[in-house]
Amino acid sequence: MATAKKTIALIGAPIEEGSGRRGAAMGPAALRIAGIDTTLAELGYTVVDEGDLRPLPARDLANHSRANNLQMVAAFARALDASVHEAARAGRVPIILGGDHALSMGSVSGMARHAAEIGKPLFVLWLDAHADFNSPETSPSGNMHGMPVAFFCGQAEFAPILPADRPMVDPKNVFQVGIRSVDERERVEIAEHGVNVYDMRAVDETGMARIMHEIIDTVRHADGLLHVSFDVDFLDPEIAPGVGTTVPGGGTFREAHLIMEMLCDSGLVASLDLVELNPFLDDRGKSARILVELTASLFGRRILDRPTRSA
């Protein structure tokens, strides 16, 4: 980042049970094969690979007819909440290697706990084709990778996955960029709770740079921490085909790099999810390599040094 370089903790989350499709469990291995650890080390970071989480199903929870694979998703949420919180509290930058997007139920919750402990608000930048603001009551499929935003905002408390008194993320502190697939009930929930959504029309009309300046300025003025959650399907599937929920018309290669470069310059990013990579659907590791390249941009790889923009 723009400030002194911290130690990075890589945390593998080979979860695919939230997506309803197999393959995302291979994502952490693909990112390691693509060289995420060596790439970050070459940028001057100390990288600690904490391996993959392998939790047992949460047998204390009853099966839920509208929350598929609840016990396994909850187990990962609990394990990630603990691991991410511990890494952040130790002064490391957690990078969660996924795995489907249900993992953010745990990663964001762990960062929310850390932010509350140091007295800062947590903001979330959600780079995704989907809003993921469903609950079991609203989800058309019951797949829990469509529920994490509602969960960490406290709007999907249907089972004791994590303590009900945990710190939540204010929906108004969530910025969703690249959205182009929203369920009917989700559209209502997002509006009612004040989630900030920049869909692809907004990107086309406004431009990515202006959107990112608005987000970065908001986080900086609030003296907040920023968690970035990057779903492969943010990108157009022609660029990154290795994802199970492709939606045409996504972000371009340069738009994605611009986001990461501007975030790097801001120095605000405290943690990162890389999610929904499905190597079984990929083209010879293309999507994994792109994710590693984008991560490198976020952590300081640049074309030329640029003057710092004042707040």
Short mmCIF file of all heavy atoms in Angstrom, two decimals, residues 146-217:
data_model
loop_
_atom_site.label_atom_id
_atom_site.label_comp_id
_atom_site.label_asym_id
_atom_site.label_seq_id
_atom_site.Cartn_x
_atom_site.Cartn_y
_atom_site.Cartn_z
N GLY A 146 -25.33 -15.93 -2.00
CA GLY A 146 -26.13 -14.75 -2.29
C GLY A 146 -26.63 -14.02 -1.06
O GLY A 146 -27.44 -13.10 -1.18
N MET A 147 -26.10 -14.36 0.12
CA MET A 147 -26.60 -13.80 1.38
C MET A 147 -25.57 -13.06 2.23
O MET A 147 -25.95 -12.50 3.27
CB MET A 147 -27.20 -14.92 2.24
CG MET A 147 -28.28 -15.73 1.56
SD MET A 147 -28.95 -17.03 2.65
CE MET A 147 -29.93 -17.97 1.48
N PRO A 148 -24.28 -13.02 1.88
CA PRO A 148 -23.31 -12.49 2.85
C PRO A 148 -23.49 -11.02 3.21
O PRO A 148 -23.26 -10.64 4.36
CB PRO A 148 -21.95 -12.73 2.17
CG PRO A 148 -22.26 -12.88 0.73
CD PRO A 148 -23.60 -13.54 0.69
N VAL A 149 -23.88 -10.16 2.26
CA VAL A 149 -24.00 -8.73 2.60
C VAL A 149 -25.13 -8.52 3.59
O VAL A 149 -24.98 -7.79 4.58
CB VAL A 149 -24.19 -7.88 1.33
CG1 VAL A 149 -24.27 -6.40 1.70
CG2 VAL A 149 -23.06 -8.10 0.34
N ALA A 150 -26.26 -9.16 3.35
CA ALA A 150 -27.37 -9.06 4.31
C ALA A 150 -26.94 -9.59 5.66
O ALA A 150 -27.31 -9.05 6.71
CB ALA A 150 -28.58 -9.83 3.78
N PHE A 151 -26.13 -10.65 5.66
CA PHE A 151 -25.70 -11.25 6.93
C PHE A 151 -24.81 -10.31 7.72
O PHE A 151 -25.08 -10.04 8.90
CB PHE A 151 -24.97 -12.57 6.66
CG PHE A 151 -24.45 -13.21 7.91
CD1 PHE A 151 -25.28 -13.98 8.71
CD2 PHE A 151 -23.12 -13.04 8.30
CE1 PHE A 151 -24.79 -14.57 9.89
CE2 PHE A 151 -22.64 -13.62 9.46
CZ PHE A 151 -23.48 -14.39 10.25
N PHE A 152 -23.73 -9.79 7.12
CA PHE A 152 -22.83 -8.97 7.93
C PHE A 152 -23.40 -7.58 8.21
O PHE A 152 -22.87 -6.86 9.05
CB PHE A 152 -21.41 -8.92 7.38
CG PHE A 152 -21.21 -8.35 6.00
CD1 PHE A 152 -21.45 -7.00 5.73
CD2 PHE A 152 -20.73 -9.14 4.97
CE1 PHE A 152 -21.23 -6.46 4.47
CE2 PHE A 152 -20.50 -8.62 3.70
CZ PHE A 152 -20.75 -7.27 3.45
N CYS A 153 -24.51 -7.24 7.54
CA CYS A 153 -25.24 -6.01 7.90
C CYS A 153 -26.33 -6.27 8.94
O CYS A 153 -27.07 -5.34 9.31
CB CYS A 153 -25.85 -5.38 6.65
SG CYS A 153 -24.65 -4.64 5.52
N GLY A 154 -26.47 -7.51 9.38
CA GLY A 154 -27.44 -7.84 10.41
C GLY A 154 -28.86 -8.02 9.91
O GLY A 154 -29.80 -7.99 10.70
N GLN A 155 -29.01 -8.23 8.60
CA GLN A 155 -30.35 -8.35 8.01
C GLN A 155 -30.68 -9.79 7.61
O GLN A 155 -31.66 -10.01 6.89
CB GLN A 155 -30.45 -7.44 6.79
CG GLN A 155 -30.16 -5.99 7.09
CD GLN A 155 -31.06 -5.43 8.18
OE1 GLN A 155 -32.27 -5.64 8.17
NE2 GLN A 155 -30.46 -4.71 9.13
N ALA A 156 -29.90 -10.75 8.08
CA ALA A 156 -30.17 -12.16 7.78
C ALA A 156 -29.83 -13.01 9.00
O ALA A 156 -29.03 -13.94 8.94
CB ALA A 156 -29.37 -12.62 6.56
N GLU A 157 -30.44 -12.67 10.11
CA GLU A 157 -30.19 -13.37 11.37
C GLU A 157 -31.18 -14.52 11.54
O GLU A 157 -32.00 -14.53 12.45
CB GLU A 157 -30.29 -12.39 12.54
CG GLU A 157 -29.23 -11.30 12.52
CD GLU A 157 -27.83 -11.84 12.69
OE1 GLU A 157 -27.47 -12.24 13.82
OE2 GLU A 157 -27.09 -11.88 11.69
N PHE A 158 -31.09 -15.51 10.68
CA PHE A 158 -32.05 -16.61 10.66
C PHE A 158 -31.57 -17.82 11.44
O PHE A 158 -32.34 -18.76 11.68
CB PHE A 158 -32.33 -17.02 9.21
CG PHE A 158 -31.09 -17.45 8.47
CD1 PHE A 158 -30.72 -18.77 8.44
CD2 PHE A 158 -30.30 -16.51 7.82
CE1 PHE A 158 -29.57 -19.16 7.76
CE2 PHE A 158 -29.16 -16.90 7.15
CZ PHE A 158 -28.78 -18.23 7.12
N ALA A 159 -30.28 -17.84 11.82
CA ALA A 159 -29.71 -18.95 12.57
C ALA A 159 -28.52 -18.41 13.35
O ALA A 159 -27.88 -17.44 12.92
CB ALA A 159 -29.28 -20.07 11.62
N PRO A 160 -28.17 -19.01 14.50
CA PRO A 160 -27.03 -18.52 15.30
C PRO A 160 -25.69 -18.92 14.70
O PRO A 160 -24.91 -19.67 15.30
CB PRO A 160 -27.28 -19.16 16.67
CG PRO A 160 -28.03 -20.42 16.36
CD PRO A 160 -28.90 -20.10 15.17
N ILE A 161 -25.42 -18.41 13.50
CA ILE A 161 -24.14 -18.71 12.84
C ILE A 161 -23.00 -18.07 13.61
O ILE A 161 -21.98 -18.71 13.90
CB ILE A 161 -24.18 -18.22 11.39
CG1 ILE A 161 -25.24 -18.98 10.60
CG2 ILE A 161 -22.81 -18.36 10.72
CD1 ILE A 161 -25.49 -18.44 9.20
N LEU A 162 -23.14 -16.79 13.93
CA LEU A 162 -22.22 -16.04 14.77
C LEU A 162 -23.04 -15.33 15.85
O LEU A 162 -24.25 -15.17 15.69
CB LEU A 162 -21.44 -15.03 13.94
CG LEU A 162 -20.41 -15.59 12.94
CD1 LEU A 162 -19.86 -14.48 12.06
CD2 LEU A 162 -19.28 -16.31 13.65
N PRO A 163 -22.42 -14.88 16.94
CA PRO A 163 -23.18 -14.22 17.99
C PRO A 163 -24.00 -13.04 17.49
O PRO A 163 -23.52 -12.23 16.69
CB PRO A 163 -22.09 -13.77 18.98
CG PRO A 163 -20.97 -14.72 18.76
CD PRO A 163 -20.98 -15.03 17.29
N ALA A 164 -25.22 -12.94 17.96
CA ALA A 164 -26.12 -11.87 17.50
C ALA A 164 -25.64 -10.50 17.94
O ALA A 164 -26.02 -9.49 17.33
CB ALA A 164 -27.53 -12.14 18.01
N ASP A 165 -24.82 -10.44 18.98
CA ASP A 165 -24.35 -9.14 19.48
C ASP A 165 -23.00 -8.74 18.88
O ASP A 165 -22.36 -7.81 19.36
CB ASP A 165 -24.25 -9.16 21.00
CG ASP A 165 -23.26 -10.20 21.53
OD1 ASP A 165 -22.77 -11.03 20.73
OD2 ASP A 165 -22.98 -10.19 22.74
N ARG A 166 -22.59 -9.41 17.80
CA ARG A 166 -21.32 -9.06 17.17
C ARG A 166 -21.45 -7.70 16.49
O ARG A 166 -22.54 -7.27 16.15
CB ARG A 166 -20.95 -10.12 16.12
CG ARG A 166 -21.86 -10.11 14.90
CD ARG A 166 -21.62 -11.29 13.97
NE ARG A 166 -22.42 -11.20 12.75
CZ ARG A 166 -23.70 -11.52 12.66
NH1 ARG A 166 -24.35 -11.98 13.71
NH2 ARG A 166 -24.33 -11.41 11.50
N PRO A 167 -20.35 -7.00 16.25
CA PRO A 167 -20.42 -5.74 15.49
C PRO A 167 -20.91 -6.00 14.06
O PRO A 167 -20.44 -6.92 13.40
CB PRO A 167 -18.98 -5.24 15.49
CG PRO A 167 -18.33 -5.92 16.65
CD PRO A 167 -18.98 -7.26 16.74
N MET A 168 -21.84 -5.19 13.62
CA MET A 168 -22.38 -5.28 12.27
C MET A 168 -21.79 -4.16 11.41
O MET A 168 -21.25 -3.18 11.91
CB MET A 168 -23.90 -5.15 12.28
CG MET A 168 -24.63 -6.16 13.15
SD MET A 168 -24.49 -7.85 12.53
CE MET A 168 -25.51 -8.72 13.75
N VAL A 169 -21.92 -4.32 10.11
CA VAL A 169 -21.54 -3.27 9.18
C VAL A 169 -22.79 -2.45 8.85
O VAL A 169 -23.83 -3.02 8.51
CB VAL A 169 -20.94 -3.86 7.88
CG1 VAL A 169 -20.61 -2.75 6.89
CG2 VAL A 169 -19.70 -4.69 8.20
N ASP A 170 -22.69 -1.15 8.97
CA ASP A 170 -23.79 -0.28 8.57
C ASP A 170 -24.00 -0.42 7.06
O ASP A 170 -23.05 -0.26 6.29
CB ASP A 170 -23.43 1.17 8.91
CG ASP A 170 -24.56 2.15 8.68
OD1 ASP A 170 -25.46 1.86 7.86
OD2 ASP A 170 -24.54 3.23 9.30
N PRO A 171 -25.21 -0.77 6.60
CA PRO A 171 -25.43 -0.90 5.16
C PRO A 171 -25.01 0.34 4.38
O PRO A 171 -24.60 0.23 3.21
CB PRO A 171 -26.93 -1.13 5.05
CG PRO A 171 -27.33 -1.71 6.36
CD PRO A 171 -26.43 -1.07 7.38
N LYS A 172 -25.08 1.51 5.01
CA LYS A 172 -24.67 2.74 4.32
C LYS A 172 -23.16 2.82 4.15
O LYS A 172 -22.66 3.69 3.44
CB LYS A 172 -25.18 3.96 5.09
CG LYS A 172 -26.70 4.06 5.16
CD LYS A 172 -27.15 5.27 5.93
CE LYS A 172 -28.68 5.37 5.97
NZ LYS A 172 -29.31 4.22 6.64
N ASN A 173 -22.42 1.90 4.80
CA ASN A 173 -20.97 1.82 4.64
C ASN A 173 -20.56 0.76 3.62
O ASN A 173 -19.38 0.42 3.52
CB ASN A 173 -20.29 1.51 5.98
CG ASN A 173 -20.32 2.69 6.93
OD1 ASN A 173 -20.78 3.78 6.58
ND2 ASN A 173 -19.84 2.49 8.15
N VAL A 174 -21.54 0.22 2.91
CA VAL A 174 -21.26 -0.78 1.87
C VAL A 174 -21.37 -0.10 0.51
O VAL A 174 -22.38 0.55 0.20
CB VAL A 174 -22.25 -1.96 1.96
CG1 VAL A 174 -22.00 -2.95 0.82
CG2 VAL A 174 -22.12 -2.65 3.32
N PHE A 175 -20.33 -0.26 -0.30
CA PHE A 175 -20.30 0.28 -1.66
C PHE A 175 -20.20 -0.89 -2.64
O PHE A 175 -19.22 -1.64 -2.61
CB PHE A 175 -19.11 1.22 -1.84
CG PHE A 175 -19.17 2.44 -0.97
CD1 PHE A 175 -18.60 2.43 0.29
CD2 PHE A 175 -19.81 3.59 -1.42
CE1 PHE A 175 -18.67 3.56 1.10
CE2 PHE A 175 -19.87 4.71 -0.61
CZ PHE A 175 -19.31 4.70 0.66
N GLN A 176 -21.21 -1.04 -3.47
CA GLN A 176 -21.23 -2.13 -4.44
C GLN A 176 -20.98 -1.55 -5.83
O GLN A 176 -21.71 -0.67 -6.28
CB GLN A 176 -22.56 -2.86 -4.39
CG GLN A 176 -22.83 -3.49 -3.00
CD GLN A 176 -24.02 -4.42 -3.01
OE1 GLN A 176 -25.01 -4.20 -3.70
NE2 GLN A 176 -23.92 -5.47 -2.21
N VAL A 177 -19.98 -2.09 -6.50
CA VAL A 177 -19.58 -1.57 -7.81
C VAL A 177 -19.59 -2.71 -8.83
O VAL A 177 -19.08 -3.81 -8.54
CB VAL A 177 -18.17 -0.93 -7.75
CG1 VAL A 177 -17.74 -0.44 -9.12
CG2 VAL A 177 -18.15 0.21 -6.73
N GLY A 178 -20.16 -2.44 -10.00
CA GLY A 178 -20.19 -3.43 -11.06
C GLY A 178 -21.44 -4.28 -11.09
O GLY A 178 -21.54 -5.22 -11.87
N ILE A 179 -22.43 -3.92 -10.27
CA ILE A 179 -23.65 -4.72 -10.13
C ILE A 179 -24.43 -4.73 -11.44
O ILE A 179 -24.62 -3.69 -12.07
CB ILE A 179 -24.53 -4.16 -9.00
CG1 ILE A 179 -23.75 -4.10 -7.68
CG2 ILE A 179 -25.80 -4.98 -8.85
CD1 ILE A 179 -23.25 -5.43 -7.18
N ARG A 180 -24.90 -5.92 -11.82
CA ARG A 180 -25.74 -6.04 -13.01
C ARG A 180 -26.70 -7.21 -12.96
O ARG A 180 -27.33 -7.57 -13.96
CB ARG A 180 -24.85 -6.14 -14.26
CG ARG A 180 -23.82 -7.24 -14.22
CD ARG A 180 -22.77 -7.01 -15.31
NE ARG A 180 -21.83 -8.11 -15.42
CZ ARG A 180 -20.76 -8.28 -14.64
NH1 ARG A 180 -20.49 -7.40 -13.68
NH2 ARG A 180 -19.96 -9.31 -14.82
N SER A 181 -26.85 -7.82 -11.77
CA SER A 181 -27.82 -8.89 -11.59
C SER A 181 -28.37 -8.81 -10.17
O SER A 181 -27.67 -9.13 -9.20
CB SER A 181 -27.16 -10.26 -11.82
OG SER A 181 -28.08 -11.31 -11.60
N VAL A 182 -29.61 -8.36 -10.05
CA VAL A 182 -30.24 -8.15 -8.74
C VAL A 182 -31.62 -8.80 -8.75
O VAL A 182 -32.41 -8.57 -9.67
CB VAL A 182 -30.36 -6.64 -8.41
CG1 VAL A 182 -30.95 -6.45 -7.02
CG2 VAL A 182 -29.01 -5.96 -8.52
N ASP A 183 -31.91 -9.59 -7.72
CA ASP A 183 -33.24 -10.20 -7.61
C ASP A 183 -34.26 -9.14 -7.23
O ASP A 183 -33.93 -8.09 -6.65
CB ASP A 183 -33.22 -11.31 -6.55
CG ASP A 183 -32.30 -12.46 -6.95
OD1 ASP A 183 -32.28 -12.81 -8.14
OD2 ASP A 183 -31.60 -13.00 -6.06
N GLU A 184 -35.53 -9.40 -7.52
CA GLU A 184 -36.58 -8.40 -7.31
C GLU A 184 -36.66 -7.96 -5.85
O GLU A 184 -36.72 -6.77 -5.54
CB GLU A 184 -37.93 -8.95 -7.78
CG GLU A 184 -38.08 -9.03 -9.28
CD GLU A 184 -37.93 -7.67 -9.96
OE1 GLU A 184 -38.43 -6.67 -9.41
OE2 GLU A 184 -37.30 -7.62 -11.03
N ARG A 185 -36.68 -8.91 -4.92
CA ARG A 185 -36.78 -8.54 -3.51
C ARG A 185 -35.49 -7.86 -3.03
O ARG A 185 -35.53 -6.95 -2.20
CB ARG A 185 -37.07 -9.77 -2.65
CG ARG A 185 -37.25 -9.47 -1.18
CD ARG A 185 -38.40 -8.50 -0.93
NE ARG A 185 -38.36 -7.96 0.43
CZ ARG A 185 -39.15 -6.99 0.86
NH1 ARG A 185 -40.03 -6.45 0.04
NH2 ARG A 185 -39.05 -6.55 2.10
N GLU A 186 -34.35 -8.30 -3.57
CA GLU A 186 -33.08 -7.65 -3.22
C GLU A 186 -33.11 -6.17 -3.55
O GLU A 186 -32.59 -5.34 -2.79
CB GLU A 186 -31.94 -8.29 -4.03
CG GLU A 186 -31.17 -9.37 -3.35
CD GLU A 186 -29.97 -9.78 -4.18
OE1 GLU A 186 -30.13 -9.96 -5.40
OE2 GLU A 186 -28.87 -9.92 -3.61
N ARG A 187 -33.69 -5.84 -4.68
CA ARG A 187 -33.74 -4.43 -5.11
C ARG A 187 -34.44 -3.58 -4.05
O ARG A 187 -34.00 -2.47 -3.74
CB ARG A 187 -34.46 -4.34 -6.46
CG ARG A 187 -34.43 -2.96 -7.09
CD ARG A 187 -35.01 -2.98 -8.49
NE ARG A 187 -34.12 -3.65 -9.44
CZ ARG A 187 -34.36 -4.83 -10.00
NH1 ARG A 187 -35.47 -5.48 -9.72
NH2 ARG A 187 -33.52 -5.35 -10.85
N VAL A 188 -35.51 -4.11 -3.48
CA VAL A 188 -36.24 -3.40 -2.44
C VAL A 188 -35.40 -3.30 -1.17
O VAL A 188 -35.31 -2.23 -0.54
CB VAL A 188 -37.58 -4.11 -2.16
CG1 VAL A 188 -38.30 -3.45 -0.99
CG2 VAL A 188 -38.45 -4.13 -3.40
N GLU A 189 -34.77 -4.41 -0.78
CA GLU A 189 -33.98 -4.44 0.46
C GLU A 189 -32.79 -3.47 0.37
O GLU A 189 -32.49 -2.75 1.33
CB GLU A 189 -33.47 -5.86 0.72
CG GLU A 189 -34.56 -6.88 1.01
CD GLU A 189 -35.20 -6.67 2.37
OE1 GLU A 189 -34.50 -6.19 3.29
OE2 GLU A 189 -36.39 -7.00 2.53
N ILE A 190 -32.14 -3.44 -0.75
CA ILE A 190 -30.99 -2.55 -0.93
C ILE A 190 -31.40 -1.09 -0.77
O ILE A 190 -30.75 -0.30 -0.08
CB ILE A 190 -30.35 -2.79 -2.31
CG1 ILE A 190 -29.63 -4.14 -2.35
CG2 ILE A 190 -29.37 -1.67 -2.66
CD1 ILE A 190 -29.25 -4.56 -3.75
N ALA A 191 -32.52 -0.74 -1.41
CA ALA A 191 -33.00 0.64 -1.32
C ALA A 191 -33.42 0.99 0.10
O ALA A 191 -33.11 2.09 0.61
CB ALA A 191 -34.16 0.84 -2.29
N GLU A 192 -34.12 0.08 0.77
CA GLU A 192 -34.61 0.35 2.12
C GLU A 192 -33.47 0.54 3.12
O GLU A 192 -33.58 1.33 4.06
CB GLU A 192 -35.52 -0.79 2.59
CG GLU A 192 -36.88 -0.81 1.91
CD GLU A 192 -37.78 -1.90 2.44
OE1 GLU A 192 -37.29 -2.75 3.25
OE2 GLU A 192 -38.97 -1.92 2.06
N HIS A 193 -32.36 -0.17 2.92
CA HIS A 193 -31.27 -0.11 3.89
C HIS A 193 -30.16 0.84 3.50
O HIS A 193 -29.18 1.01 4.24
CB HIS A 193 -30.70 -1.53 4.10
CG HIS A 193 -31.65 -2.43 4.81
ND1 HIS A 193 -32.50 -3.29 4.16
CD2 HIS A 193 -31.91 -2.60 6.14
CE1 HIS A 193 -33.23 -3.96 5.03
NE2 HIS A 193 -32.89 -3.55 6.24
N GLY A 194 -30.26 1.47 2.34
CA GLY A 194 -29.32 2.52 1.99
C GLY A 194 -27.97 2.04 1.51
O GLY A 194 -26.98 2.78 1.63
N VAL A 195 -27.91 0.83 0.96
CA VAL A 195 -26.65 0.36 0.38
C VAL A 195 -26.30 1.23 -0.83
O VAL A 195 -27.17 1.59 -1.63
CB VAL A 195 -26.77 -1.12 -0.05
CG1 VAL A 195 -25.48 -1.60 -0.70
CG2 VAL A 195 -27.13 -2.00 1.15
N ASN A 196 -25.04 1.59 -0.94
CA ASN A 196 -24.58 2.42 -2.06
C ASN A 196 -24.25 1.51 -3.25
O ASN A 196 -23.30 0.72 -3.18
CB ASN A 196 -23.32 3.20 -1.66
CG ASN A 196 -23.55 4.07 -0.44
OD1 ASN A 196 -24.14 5.14 -0.54
ND2 ASN A 196 -23.09 3.61 0.72
N VAL A 197 -25.02 1.62 -4.31
CA VAL A 197 -24.84 0.74 -5.47
C VAL A 197 -24.46 1.55 -6.70
O VAL A 197 -25.18 2.48 -7.09
CB VAL A 197 -26.12 -0.07 -5.74
CG1 VAL A 197 -25.93 -0.97 -6.96
CG2 VAL A 197 -26.51 -0.91 -4.52
N TYR A 198 -23.34 1.20 -7.28
CA TYR A 198 -22.91 1.74 -8.57
C TYR A 198 -23.01 0.59 -9.57
O TYR A 198 -22.07 -0.22 -9.68
CB TYR A 198 -21.48 2.27 -8.50
CG TYR A 198 -21.27 3.40 -7.52
CD1 TYR A 198 -20.94 3.14 -6.18
CD2 TYR A 198 -21.38 4.72 -7.93
CE1 TYR A 198 -20.73 4.18 -5.30
CE2 TYR A 198 -21.17 5.77 -7.04
CZ TYR A 198 -20.84 5.49 -5.72
OH TYR A 198 -20.63 6.53 -4.84
N ASP A 199 -24.13 0.49 -10.25
CA ASP A 199 -24.28 -0.59 -11.21
C ASP A 199 -23.49 -0.27 -12.48
O ASP A 199 -22.85 0.78 -12.58
CB ASP A 199 -25.76 -0.86 -11.50
CG ASP A 199 -26.49 0.33 -12.10
OD1 ASP A 199 -25.83 1.32 -12.49
OD2 ASP A 199 -27.73 0.28 -12.19
N MET A 200 -23.55 -1.18 -13.45
CA MET A 200 -22.74 -0.97 -14.64
C MET A 200 -23.21 0.24 -15.44
O MET A 200 -22.41 0.87 -16.14
CB MET A 200 -22.72 -2.22 -15.51
CG MET A 200 -21.81 -3.33 -14.95
SD MET A 200 -20.11 -2.79 -14.59
CE MET A 200 -19.52 -2.28 -16.22
N ARG A 201 -24.49 0.59 -15.34
CA ARG A 201 -24.92 1.83 -16.00
C ARG A 201 -24.23 3.04 -15.37
O ARG A 201 -23.79 3.96 -16.07
CB ARG A 201 -26.44 1.98 -15.93
CG ARG A 201 -26.90 3.31 -16.51
CD ARG A 201 -28.39 3.43 -16.64
NE ARG A 201 -28.76 4.75 -17.12
CZ ARG A 201 -29.99 5.11 -17.47
NH1 ARG A 201 -30.98 4.24 -17.38
NH2 ARG A 201 -30.24 6.33 -17.89
N ALA A 202 -24.14 3.04 -14.03
CA ALA A 202 -23.45 4.14 -13.36
C ALA A 202 -21.98 4.20 -13.77
O ALA A 202 -21.41 5.29 -13.97
CB ALA A 202 -23.58 4.00 -11.85
N VAL A 203 -21.36 3.03 -13.90
CA VAL A 203 -19.96 2.99 -14.35
C VAL A 203 -19.85 3.57 -15.75
O VAL A 203 -18.96 4.38 -16.04
CB VAL A 203 -19.43 1.54 -14.31
CG1 VAL A 203 -18.04 1.46 -14.95
CG2 VAL A 203 -19.37 1.03 -12.87
N ASP A 204 -20.77 3.19 -16.63
CA ASP A 204 -20.73 3.69 -18.01
C ASP A 204 -20.94 5.19 -18.06
O ASP A 204 -20.27 5.91 -18.82
CB ASP A 204 -21.81 2.99 -18.85
CG ASP A 204 -21.51 1.52 -19.08
OD1 ASP A 204 -20.35 1.12 -18.94
OD2 ASP A 204 -22.46 0.76 -19.40
N GLU A 205 -21.90 5.69 -17.27
CA GLU A 205 -22.26 7.11 -17.33
C GLU A 205 -21.27 8.00 -16.59
O GLU A 205 -20.96 9.11 -17.04
CB GLU A 205 -23.66 7.31 -16.76
CG GLU A 205 -24.77 6.72 -17.61
CD GLU A 205 -26.15 6.99 -17.04
OE1 GLU A 205 -26.25 7.32 -15.84
OE2 GLU A 205 -27.12 6.86 -17.79
N THR A 206 -20.79 7.52 -15.45
CA THR A 206 -19.99 8.36 -14.56
C THR A 206 -18.49 8.14 -14.74
O THR A 206 -17.71 9.09 -14.62
CB THR A 206 -20.37 8.08 -13.09
OG1 THR A 206 -21.78 8.26 -12.94
CG2 THR A 206 -19.63 8.99 -12.14
N GLY A 207 -18.12 6.91 -15.00
CA GLY A 207 -16.70 6.58 -15.10
C GLY A 207 -16.17 6.02 -13.80
O GLY A 207 -16.55 6.45 -12.71
N MET A 208 -15.28 5.04 -13.90
CA MET A 208 -14.79 4.35 -12.71
C MET A 208 -13.96 5.26 -11.81
O MET A 208 -14.03 5.16 -10.58
CB MET A 208 -13.97 3.13 -13.13
CG MET A 208 -13.65 2.19 -11.98
SD MET A 208 -15.15 1.48 -11.22
CE MET A 208 -15.56 0.22 -12.45
N ALA A 209 -13.18 6.15 -12.39
CA ALA A 209 -12.32 7.00 -11.57
C ALA A 209 -13.14 7.88 -10.63
O ALA A 209 -12.83 8.01 -9.44
CB ALA A 209 -11.42 7.86 -12.46
N ARG A 210 -14.20 8.49 -11.15
CA ARG A 210 -15.02 9.36 -10.31
C ARG A 210 -15.69 8.56 -9.19
O ARG A 210 -15.77 9.02 -8.05
CB ARG A 210 -16.06 10.06 -11.16
CG ARG A 210 -16.96 11.01 -10.37
CD ARG A 210 -17.88 11.79 -11.28
NE ARG A 210 -18.83 12.59 -10.52
CZ ARG A 210 -19.76 13.36 -11.06
NH1 ARG A 210 -19.85 13.46 -12.39
NH2 ARG A 210 -20.61 14.04 -10.31
N ILE A 211 -16.19 7.38 -9.53
CA ILE A 211 -16.82 6.52 -8.52
C ILE A 211 -15.83 6.19 -7.41
O ILE A 211 -16.14 6.28 -6.22
CB ILE A 211 -17.38 5.25 -9.18
CG1 ILE A 211 -18.59 5.58 -10.04
CG2 ILE A 211 -17.73 4.20 -8.13
CD1 ILE A 211 -19.07 4.44 -10.91
N MET A 212 -14.63 5.80 -7.79
CA MET A 212 -13.63 5.42 -6.79
C MET A 212 -13.20 6.62 -5.96
O MET A 212 -12.97 6.49 -4.75
CB MET A 212 -12.44 4.77 -7.47
CG MET A 212 -12.73 3.38 -8.03
SD MET A 212 -13.44 2.26 -6.80
CE MET A 212 -12.15 2.27 -5.54
N HIS A 213 -13.09 7.80 -6.55
CA HIS A 213 -12.77 8.99 -5.75
C HIS A 213 -13.85 9.23 -4.69
O HIS A 213 -13.54 9.57 -3.54
CB HIS A 213 -12.64 10.23 -6.65
CG HIS A 213 -11.33 10.34 -7.36
ND1 HIS A 213 -10.12 10.24 -6.71
CD2 HIS A 213 -11.04 10.55 -8.68
CE1 HIS A 213 -9.14 10.38 -7.59
NE2 HIS A 213 -9.67 10.57 -8.79
N GLU A 214 -15.12 9.06 -5.06
CA GLU A 214 -16.20 9.26 -4.10
C GLU A 214 -16.11 8.27 -2.95
O GLU A 214 -16.27 8.63 -1.77
CB GLU A 214 -17.55 9.11 -4.81
CG GLU A 214 -17.88 10.23 -5.79
CD GLU A 214 -19.19 9.99 -6.52
OE1 GLU A 214 -19.85 8.97 -6.25
OE2 GLU A 214 -19.56 10.85 -7.36
N ILE A 215 -15.85 7.01 -3.26
CA ILE A 215 -15.77 5.97 -2.23
C ILE A 215 -14.57 6.23 -1.32
O ILE A 215 -14.68 6.21 -0.09
CB ILE A 215 -15.69 4.59 -2.88
CG1 ILE A 215 -17.00 4.28 -3.62
CG2 ILE A 215 -15.39 3.51 -1.83
CD1 ILE A 215 -16.95 3.04 -4.49
N ILE A 216 -13.42 6.45 -1.92
CA ILE A 216 -12.20 6.66 -1.14
C ILE A 216 -12.32 7.89 -0.25
O ILE A 216 -11.95 7.86 0.94
CB ILE A 216 -10.99 6.77 -2.09
CG1 ILE A 216 -10.68 5.39 -2.69
CG2 ILE A 216 -9.77 7.33 -1.36
CD1 ILE A 216 -9.71 5.44 -3.87
N ASP A 217 -12.87 8.97 -0.78
CA ASP A 217 -13.03 10.19 0.03
C ASP A 217 -13.97 9.95 1.20
O ASP A 217 -13.73 10.45 2.31
CB ASP A 217 -13.56 11.33 -0.84
CG ASP A 217 -12.51 11.86 -1.82
OD1 ASP A 217 -11.33 11.52 -1.65
OD2 ASP A 217 -12.89 12.60 -2.74
#
